[in-house]
Amino acid sequence: MSALLEALVSFEASLATRQEPAGVLHALLDHLPSLLPLRAVALVTIDDATLLPTIALRRPSTAQELDQELARIVEDGSFALALRRGEAVVAERSDRSLLLVQACADPEHLAGLVLAIVERVDSEQLALLAVLAARTATAHHNRELLAQQRAHAAQLERMVAERTRELAAALEKAETASRAKSAFLATMSHELRTPLNGIIGLTDTLMTDERDAVRRERLAVVRSCAEALLAQIEGILDFSRIEAGKLELVNTECDPEAIAVGVLRALAPRAASKGLQLLWLPSADFPARVWLDDHRLQQVLTNLVGNAVKFTERGRVIVRGAAQCQDGRWQLAFTVDDSGPGIAPEVQARLFTPFSQGDARINRRYGGTGLGLSIARHLCRAMGGDIALESAVGVGSRFTARVSSERGVPWERSSSALPRIAVLASGWLKEAALACLQRLGTQPCAAAQAEVLLVDASDAPAVAEAAALPEASLLLAISPTASSAPAALAARRHATVLVPFATRDLAEALAKLAAAASDRASRPAEAAPPLAGLQVLAADDQEVNRLVLELLLQRLGVAALIVDGGAAAVALSTARRWDAILLDCQMPDVDGFTAAARIRAFGVRAPLIAVTADASERDREHCLAHGFDDFVPKPVELAQLAAALSRQCRRAPEAAEPAPSEQLAALRAEIGGEAFAAVVQAFLAELPAHLAAIADAVAQGDLPLVARHAHAVKGDAANLRLRELAAAAKRLEQAAKAGDREALAPAAEELRRAWSACAPLLSATAAS
C-alpha cells in the first residue's frame, strides 16, 4: 500500500513540473507501469481536423499490436463506449489477456484515451486508473488554458507594442505639425505687424499734419482699422502659444490693486466718451502685494473690462476686488459688473470657445476674432484660477476672474491718525470712496464736522455743498475728461484724485493735504537764513528741470553744479567733497538708481537725494531701499528741497513760502521774471521735440519710449503749474504703461491739443 501511495505522490509531483499539455500525457504514461501490471500501453488522441483516433504515445514503442487493437475497438464500438463512460471498458483478447480502454476526460475536456494490455486486473486497479485518467484530464485542460492565456497575452503585447509605435509616430507627426504651425504663426505675426506699424505710424504723422477735418476723420478710420487688425494678430499669436503649450508665466511681486486701477484708467477715456461710470471697489482685506505674472493679469483684466465698456451703452462698469488667504496662499477674485444688454444662456454656452463670439451680429458690429475670452480663461487657469460668468438678458453681465498667488502681503492700515472725512458724492462713486476709506481704516462723518471733504467734482450739488463749508480742506475726485477743479472750488486748499482711483491715491492725497496744513501751522514769522555754503551736485536729463533746480538752489544760497544725465553725475561725483547729490530717478542713459549704486561703489559718502515725478509713499520707500538717503517729489518746491537738504546736511532750512495754487503768475513771482522767462523759453524749445518723439514712438508701437517722453512732459508741465498739460501727459503715460494701444493715439492727440491750448498763454506770460 505504501508503494502505491509513493507512486501516486510521484505522479502528482511529476504533473506539477509539466508546463505543457503534452508533458502531462507523458507523465501519465511514465507512471502507469508502476501502478498497474501493464504489458503494453498507449495514449490515443482525436485529430481535430479528421476526428479520427491516433496513437500519440506508446510504451513500449515496439508494441505494434496496439494499432490492431485500436482498429478493432473502433470497429466494434468499444472506443465510443469508453468515451461515454467514466470508467474503463474491459475486453478479453484471444490470448486470454485483457484490453483496457479508459477515457482521460472531465466534464469540460477530453485529453485522450488510455489503451492498455494487461494480464489481469481487479476492481481497485480499475478505480485507480479512472482517478489517474480524470486527474490527467484536469491537468491537461489547465495547461491548455494556460497556454492559450500566454498566447493571448503575447498577442496583446504585440498589439500594444504596435499601437504604441503608431501613437508615437502620430504624436511626433502632431508635434512636428504644431511646431511648424507655431513657427509659421510667429513668422507671419512678425511679417504682418511690421507693415501695420508702418501704416499706423504714417497715419499718425498724416493726422498730425492734416488740417482738413474730413481727411483727418478718414485717416482716423484707417488708423482704427489697422489697430484692430494688429490686436487680432496679437490675439491669434497668444492663442497659438497656449495651444502649443508654450505659454510661460513670469511671476513677480506686484500690487494687484494698482494693476486693476491702471487698466481702468487706460480705458477711462473710452468709458467717459460713452458717459459710463468706471470705478474700482476693493474689499477691506484685498492684499497689498502678491506674486503673479502682472502682465498676464493685466491682459485678462483689459479683456474683461474692455469688453464691458465696448458692449455697455449706458450706465456703469464696476470692478470689484476680493481676496481670501488660506495657509499663506492667496485667492484673488476680480469681478466685472456691467449694465449692458446681457447674454442669453445659449450664447453663454459657447462664449469661451475659440473664434466664437456667440452672435454673428457682434462680429459685424464690433469686429474681433472671438479669441479674447478664450485666451483670458486659459491665462486664469494657468495662474491657478478660472473665469465664471453670470448674465441675464436686459440686466447685464458679471464676469469673475480668479487667480492664485503662492504668497502675498496683507494690506496694512496706516498707523497715523486720519482726519475726519465726509464724502460728498452719490451712486457708485460714493460706494468706491467708502470702500477705499474702509481699507484706510476710517468711516465718513457728517459734512459739518469734517476736516476734509471728498467731493465729486462733476456733481453740481456736491460742489455747491462743499463751497458752503469754507473751513474744510478739499479732496476733489476729478473725471478723466475734466481739465481742472470746478471754478467754485479752485481757489480753496485742495488735492485731487483721478477717477477711477485706488486706495493709495486717497492715502497720498490725504497725506499731501496734511503736509500742507502742517507746513502752514509751523511756518515761522521770519524766514530762516538760507543753506549758504553747501556744495551740491544735481543731475537731470530735462533742461527745464535743470533750470528750476538751479534757481531754487540759488535762492537757498547753495553752490550747485547741475549736469545733464546720470553718467555725468557719476563722473563728477568724486571731483570734490559734495555736501549732497541730487539725482532724477528716470534718466534715459543712466537712471538715478544705477547712478546711485555707481557713486556708492566709488566710496562717495555724500547724501543722495532722489528727485522724481512719481511722488507716492511707495516710490519714496523704493528710493530709500535702493541707496538713496532722502526723497524730493516733483514738482520740486522750495520748502521741500530745503527740508531735505537740512535733514541730510544738518543745516537749518529756509522756510520759504510753498508754491501757491499752480498758477503761472504765482510761479513768476516766486522765481523772478527773468528766471521765469528763461525756464519758459527752454520749455517752449524742448516740448515740440518731445511731441515729435511721441508721435514717432506711437507710429512704431514703441510703448516704453512713449511712456518715457510722456513722463518727461508730465514733469516739465507740473514744474510750470500747467495742470491740463500735465494731466494729458499723465494719461498718455498710463496708457503706454498699461499696453492699451487703442487709447494711445487719442491720448497723444489729447496731449497735442492741450499743448496747442496752453502754448500761446505761456508765451504771452513769459513776454509780459
Side-chain angles (χ1 to χ4, degrees):
M1 189 65 178
S2 60
L4 181 61
L5 289 175
E6 289 177 4
L8 288 173
V9 170
S10 176
F11 174 66
E12 288 295 335
S14 180
L15 285 182
T17 62
R18 307 299 175 105
Q19 300 300 317
E20 300 299 329
V24 172
L25 301 180
H26 277 282
L28 176 62
L29 288 191
D30 290 343
H31 286 78
L32 274 178
S34 63
L35 298 172
L36 296 172
L38 302 177
R39 192 171 80 190
V41 63
L43 185 70
V44 179
T45 59
I46 308 298
D47 187 274
D48 291 336
T50 64
L51 299 180
L52 295 177
T54 303
I55 294 179
L57 299 170
R58 70 180 77 201
R59 299 285 189 275
S61 58
T62 58
Q64 301 301 321
E65 57 187 324
L66 292 173
D67 295 305
Q68 298 171 2
E69 293 297 338
L70 174 61
R72 183 172 66 82
I73 64 174
V74 170
E75 183 178 349
D76 66 14
S78 300
F79 184 87
L81 179 62
L83 290 177
R84 292 195 299 271
R85 294 175 57 178
E87 58 188 28
V89 174
V90 181
E92 188 175 357
R93 301 177 71 230
S94 59
D95 61 357
R96 314 279 303 179
S97 63
L98 300 176
L99 178 67
L100 304 182
V101 183
Q102 173 68 56
C104 297
D106 61 20
E108 298 180 358
H109 180 69
L110 173 65
L113 290 93
V114 174
L115 188 65
I117 299 175
V118 299
E119 296 299 333
R120 63 187 181 280
V121 67
D122 57 29
S123 59
E124 290 182 357
Q125 290 174 327
L126 290 176
L128 177 61
L129 178 60
V131 170
L132 294 177
R135 182 70 186 91
T136 299
T138 301
H140 187 271
H141 192 195
N142 289 341
R143 299 307 187 274
E144 281 195 343
L145 291 177
L146 182 60
Q148 292 172 5
Q149 183 182 21
R150 287 173 182 157
H152 184 64
Q155 177 65 16
L156 285 178
E157 288 181 1
R158 288 192 295 272
M159 292 173 62
V160 169
E162 180 63 25
R163 186 60 177 156
T164 301
R165 286 192 293 272
E166 292 174 358
L167 290 175
L171 178 61
E172 176 62 26
K173 185 177 179 180
E175 289 178 346
T176 301
S178 178
R179 288 192 294 268
K181 182 182 70 174
S182 298
F184 172 76
L185 287 175
T187 302
M188 289 306 299
S189 173
H190 173 75
E191 296 298 328
L192 290 171
R193 278 185 293 184
T194 299
L196 277 174
N197 284 331
I199 292 171
I200 293 171
L202 289 174
T203 304
D204 281 342
T205 303
L206 292 172
M207 288 175 67
T208 302
D209 298 336
E210 184 58 60
R211 299 302 177 208
D212 182 81
V214 174
R215 284 196 288 268
R216 283 180 57 81
E217 183 177 350
R218 291 171 179 169
L219 288 170
V221 172
V222 173
R223 192 187 195 287
S224 176
C225 293
E227 287 182 333
L229 182 56
L230 185 61
Q232 292 176 3
I233 292 170
E234 295 288 355
I236 292 172
L237 185 59
D238 264 344
F239 182 75
S240 173
R241 292 193 189 101
I242 292 169
E243 194 179 44
K246 301 297 184 182
L247 179 67
E248 295 181 358
L249 298 180
V250 182
N251 291 338
T252 59
E253 184 181 2
C254 58
D255 180 350
E257 184 178 25
I259 293 171
V261 174
V263 170
L264 266 62
R265 285 182 176 168
L267 295 167
R270 200 185 312 166
S273 69
K274 302 174 75 172
L276 300 177
Q277 281 189 301
L278 183 61
L279 293 166
W280 163 251
L281 275 71
S283 64
D285 55 358
F286 201 72
R289 311 289 291 176
V290 292
W291 273 256
L292 282 171
D293 190 322
D294 54 345
H295 171 69
R296 294 303 186 182
L297 176 58
Q298 180 188 78
Q299 186 176 350
V300 170
L301 294 179
T302 298
N303 177 266
L304 296 182
V305 181
N307 283 346
V309 172
K310 180 193 295 185
F311 298 121
T312 303
E313 296 301 327
R314 62 181 64 85
R316 45 74 183 157
V317 175
I318 306 299
V319 182
R320 293 180 173 86
Q324 192 174 32
C325 182
Q326 186 173 6
D327 298 330
R329 189 173 186 85
W330 287 83
Q331 299 290 333
L332 277 64
F334 298 88
T335 302
V336 182
D337 275 315
D338 66 57
S339 56
I343 305 169
E346 63 273 14
V347 177
Q348 295 180 35
R350 58 178 182 273
L351 200 59
F352 292 95
T353 304
F355 303 104
S356 173
Q357 291 182 306
D359 190 334
R361 291 172 295 179
I362 291 176
N363 183 271
R364 288 195 295 269
R365 181 175 180 184
Y366 297 103
T369 60
L371 284 174
L373 283 175
S374 175
I375 292 172
R377 167 168 277 184
H378 276 94
L379 292 177
C380 284
R381 288 176 174 175
M383 291 186 284
D386 206 340
I387 294 181
L389 166 63
E390 302 172 52
S391 185
V393 175
V395 177
S397 301
R398 170 180 294 174
F399 286 85
T400 301
R402 291 183 173 84
V403 295
S404 177
S405 172
E406 61 186 17
R407 60 186 189 277
V409 178
W411 174 267
E412 293 185 3
R413 295 174 178 176
S414 174
S415 58
S416 58
L418 292 172
R420 295 187 301 276
I421 304 171
V423 178
L424 302 184
S426 60
W428 287 106
L429 180 58
K430 182 176 182 179
E431 294 296 322
L434 293 177
C436 291
L437 290 176
Q438 184 181 10
R439 274 168 65 75
L440 292 175
T442 187
Q443 294 293 330
C445 64
Q449 285 80 45
E451 298 171 277
V452 175
L453 300 175
L454 198 163
V455 185
D456 180 358
S458 63
D459 187 342
V463 171
E465 185 177 356
L469 298 168
E471 297 302 319
S473 298
L474 301 178
L475 181 53
L476 302 179
I478 297 180
S479 69
T481 56
S483 58
S484 61
L489 304 177
R492 291 269 296 276
R493 183 172 67 252
H494 70 272
T496 61
V497 289
L498 188 67
V499 179
F501 48 77
T503 308
R504 292 187 191 276
D505 298 328
L506 291 188
E508 291 162 6
L510 290 171
K512 185 176 180 180
L513 285 174
S518 176
D519 286 345
R520 283 188 295 276
S522 61
R523 188 182 306 150
E526 296 182 1
L531 300 171
L534 288 183
Q535 301 285 324
V536 173
L537 173 65
D540 198 297
D541 63 302
Q542 302 296 319
E543 184 178 357
V544 173
N545 293 341
R546 293 198 296 273
L547 284 171
V548 171
L549 271 176
E550 184 176 9
L551 294 169
L552 293 176
L553 290 170
Q554 284 177 357
R555 289 196 61 187
L556 293 173
V558 172
L561 175 60
I562 316 295
V563 298
D564 181 4
V570 173
L572 293 170
S573 62
T574 57
R576 68 178 72 171
R577 184 183 294 276
W578 301 104
D579 294 302
I581 300 175
L582 300 173
L583 297 171
D584 178 47
C585 288
Q586 296 194 21
M587 294 182 284
D589 55 348
V590 177
D591 62 36
F593 300 105
T594 304
R598 293 179 182 177
I599 289 170
R600 287 290 185 242
F602 288 157
V604 176
R605 307 313 307 163
L608 301 179
I609 300 175
V611 183
T612 178
D614 295 323
S616 67
E617 181 63 22
R618 184 172 70 254
D619 294 309
R620 177 182 180 278
E621 293 173 356
H622 181 72
C623 291
L624 296 181
H626 287 78
F628 285 99
D629 301 290
D630 215 320
F631 175 92
V632 176
K634 289 181 181 180
V636 179
E637 296 182 3
L638 191 62
Q640 292 176 324
L641 180 59
L645 289 173
S646 174
R647 285 192 297 270
Q648 299 305 321
C649 303
R650 303 295 186 267
R651 302 289 185 89
E654 178 181 357
E657 287 286 335
S661 60
E662 307 171 347
Q663 301 295 324
L664 287 174
L667 180 61
R668 177 175 179 171
E670 180 180 339
I671 66 175
E674 183 177 347
F676 177 77
V679 172
V680 170
Q681 290 303 323
F683 184 69
L684 290 171
E686 191 172 281
L687 196 76
H690 281 305
L691 294 178
I694 287 172
D696 290 341
V698 169
Q700 296 299 321
D702 190 341
L703 298 182
L705 188 59
V706 173
R708 181 154 61 85
H709 282 285
H711 179 85
V713 173
K714 178 181 71 174
D716 292 348
N719 278 329
L720 288 172
R721 299 354 182 214
L722 299 174
R723 295 171 57 97
E724 183 176 355
L725 185 62
K730 183 177 181 180
R731 285 191 284 275
L732 177 59
E733 180 186 14
Q734 290 172 339
K737 287 183 176 179
D740 188 355
R741 296 180 181 274
E742 291 185 11
L744 214 58
E749 176 61 19
E750 181 188 1
L751 178 62
R752 190 193 65 78
R753 288 197 303 268
W755 168 241
S756 299
C758 71
L761 174 63
L762 194 61
S763 300
T765 305
S768 62

